[in-house]
Amino acid sequence: MEANNVSDSQLGVIAIQSGVPGDLTSCHTAKVGGYIVEGHVPAEDIQRLLKEKPAIAGIAVAGMPLGSPGMEQGSTKQSFTTMAFTKDGKRSVFARH
């Protein structure tokens, strides 16, 4: 496994080049098992992605919703959706939290 810290502008370029729709970009981009994982995606969604291996480019959680991984604030939680996306821009709901 390799991790690289990049500037915010570089991160945006990497996300767009990886096929992440502009409105789904966030502050973290990872390449996992041939998929793009963007934002504060729960581990169980990544595990499901790797198990099911759907024909998509990746999954994303837009923004930084309270209660998502890394954004915990005690018992305060916002509802959020993990979206699946394809390289040609199609998207669908992958999971609701």
Side-chain angles (χ1 to χ4, degrees):
M1 181 185 319
E2 180 181 331
N4 296 296
N5 288 323
V6 297
S7 70
D8 288 345
S9 61
Q10 287 175 305
L11 185 61
V13 169
I14 290 167
I16 299 301
Q17 287 176 343
S18 298
V20 179
D23 63 327
L24 294 180
T25 59
S26 188
C27 51
H28 307 286
T29 303
K31 295 179 181 181
V32 181
Y35 293 99
I36 299 301
V37 177
E38 178 74 10
H40 294 261
V41 177
E44 62 264 24
D45 292 354
I46 298 168
Q47 291 165 343
R48 178 179 151 213
L49 174 72
L50 297 175
K51 180 180 179 184
E52 294 180 3
K53 298 184 185 336
I56 60 173
I59 56 177
V61 170
M64 298 187 302
L66 290 178
S68 65
M71 296 302 298
E72 297 87 356
Q73 293 290 319
S75 62
T76 303
K77 291 187 178 191
Q78 292 177 307
S79 297
F80 65 94
T81 303
T82 301
M83 297 297 296
F85 60 90
T86 63
K87 288 185 180 180
D88 63 358
K90 293 179 184 164
R91 57 182 82 195
S92 60
V93 173
F94 189 79
R96 294 185 193 279
H97 301 277

